[in-house]
């Protein structure tokens, strides 16, 4: 009998050792032991209704050019108003795909109230036609709308005062491309003080609109040897419109 008990005890020790190796700590189920697998709660949380994405606020429609001109009024926002005869707002197709932005009116433009009508304007017209556009197809304006006295460069406060109206013009027209003529147009629109000699010929972006900086026609009249570079820039614009140079 004692042999049987010894054998049983031996078997029990072996079994316990085997269970301990297997990670089992207790022989009997502990009523407080957590279940091996979490039970799903009796009542599932209700799925929350999907909130519809907020509808983005509708973008305010751009003003028409007439509305922008009306807001400009008899502008006296900067000192250029003192010597001007007329405000030279802009000319051309209000739905133009291509816009040329120059610097500011000269004497002839100041007299007529139309941008680019003097000698530089005649050269610009030739450039536009060489690009297989008509002058009436495009829109032409300047960064400042009043003539700087003695054709001096526009000053920073003048550029700053007039820029909102240029921006409003471009927002109204929404062209497919802009040609910035000369340093002041390119630097003002691009917020980049890099020299025009380095800006020119490289596509940039103005509020998502491709912008090509090139030389101002007045500069080309003084430096005719640079016309070939300007023509290279304009050919890039032609390509963008699918026109063969
Ligand atoms: S240049 Fe522009 S901001 Fe200055 S007075 Fe003329 S329209 Fe007004």
């Amino acid at each position: 009998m004692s042999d049987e008990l010894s054998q049983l005890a031996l078997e029990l020790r072996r079994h316990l050792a085997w269970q301990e190796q297997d990670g089992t700590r207790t022989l009997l189920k502990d009523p407080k032991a957590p279940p091996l697998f979490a039970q799903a709660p009796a009542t599932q949380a209700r799925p929350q209704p999907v909130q519809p994405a907020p509808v983005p606020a509708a973008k305010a429609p751009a003003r028409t050019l007439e509305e922008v001109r009306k807001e400009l009024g008899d502008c006296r926002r900067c000192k250029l108003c003192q010597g001007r005869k007329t405000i030279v707002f802009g000319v051309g197709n209000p739905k133009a795909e291509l816009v040329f932005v120059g610097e500011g009116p000269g004497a002839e433009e100041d007299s007529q109230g139309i941008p680019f009508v003097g000698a530089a304007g005649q050269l610009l017209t030739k450039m536009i036609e060489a690009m297989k556009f008509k002058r009436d197809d495009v829109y032409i304006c300047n960064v400042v709308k009043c003539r700087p006295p003695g054709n001096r460069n526009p000053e920073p406060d003048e550029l700053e005062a007039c820029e909102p109206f240029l921006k409003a013009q471009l927002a109204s027209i929404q062209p497919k491309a802009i040609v910035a003529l000369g340093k002041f147009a390119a630097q003002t629109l691009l917020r980049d003080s890099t020299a025009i000699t380095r800006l020119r010929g490289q596509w940039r972006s103005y509020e998502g609109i491709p912008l090509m900086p090139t030389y101002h026609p007045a500069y080309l009249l003084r430096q005719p040897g640079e016309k070939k570079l300007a023509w290279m820039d304009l050919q890039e614009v032609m390509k963008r419109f699918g026109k063969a140079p």
Side-chain angles (χ1 to χ4, degrees):
M1 187 69 181
S2 63
D3 285 342
E4 286 177 9
L5 283 172
S6 300
Q7 188 61 35
L8 268 173
L10 182 63
E11 290 290 335
L12 183 61
R13 274 202 299 276
R14 281 183 185 153
H15 184 73
L16 285 171
W18 174 77
Q19 283 206 315
E20 199 164 24
Q21 279 177 10
D22 201 39
T24 306
R25 301 269 170 177
T26 55
L27 276 174
L28 298 174
K29 186 179 176 192
D30 183 352
K32 292 179 191 163
L36 285 176
F37 300 102
Q39 299 278 325
T43 53
Q44 294 272 351
R46 283 185 165 196
Q48 294 297 310
V50 176
Q51 297 294 327
V55 177
K59 205 175 168 186
R63 288 170 289 167
T64 64
L65 287 176
E66 289 77 19
E67 288 167 337
V68 178
R69 178 65 189 89
K70 198 170 169 187
E71 188 186 332
L72 187 63
D74 184 32
C75 184
R76 305 209 158 261
R77 292 171 178 83
C78 84
K79 57 188 179 296
L80 290 182
C81 69
Q82 295 162 9
R84 72 163 184 237
K85 286 184 192 156
T86 56
I87 293 176
V88 183
F89 182 67
V91 69
N93 181 354
K95 296 288 170 206
E97 294 189 336
L98 180 59
V99 172
F100 291 82
V101 180
E103 179 182 316
E108 197 61 41
E109 289 79 14
D110 185 41
S111 294
Q112 296 191 36
I114 302 169
F116 283 94
V117 288
Q122 288 168 22
L123 177 56
L124 177 63
T125 303
K126 284 184 188 167
M127 291 158 66
I128 292 167
E129 289 171 353
M131 294 172 73
K132 301 181 184 175
F133 285 92
K134 292 187 192 124
R135 188 171 156 124
D136 289 345
D137 294 339
V138 304
Y139 191 84
I140 305 169
C141 58
N142 288 306
V143 285
V144 291
K145 316 294 184 209
C146 301
R147 183 192 178 201
N151 291 346
R152 68 157 168 76
N153 291 334
E155 294 177 352
D157 60 316
E158 297 158 357
L159 291 165
E160 190 181 346
C162 215
E163 190 190 4
F165 296 95
L166 172 61
K167 287 175 89 82
Q169 285 173 295
L170 294 171
S172 174
I173 299 167
Q174 297 188 8
K176 288 186 180 164
I178 299 168
V179 176
L181 299 165
K183 161 184 166 177
F184 287 99
Q187 292 183 347
T188 301
L189 289 171
L190 295 175
R191 292 274 190 276
D192 187 333
S193 58
T194 304
I196 186 66
T197 48
R198 290 180 54 210
L199 286 174
R200 61 144 289 274
Q202 308 290 325
W203 280 110
R204 299 287 296 269
S205 178
Y206 166 80
E207 300 200 350
I209 303 170
L211 183 149
M212 174 59 74
T214 192
Y215 290 130
H216 193 285
Y219 171 77
L220 296 175
L221 289 174
R222 296 193 301 273
Q223 303 288 339
E226 303 285 46
K227 281 183 186 174
K228 59 181 180 298
L229 291 178
W231 178 232
M232 284 167 59
D233 305 342
L234 298 180
Q235 287 180 90
E236 291 302 314
V237 181
M238 291 175 72
K239 284 184 208 162
R240 190 163 279 259
F241 283 89
K243 292 176 184 276

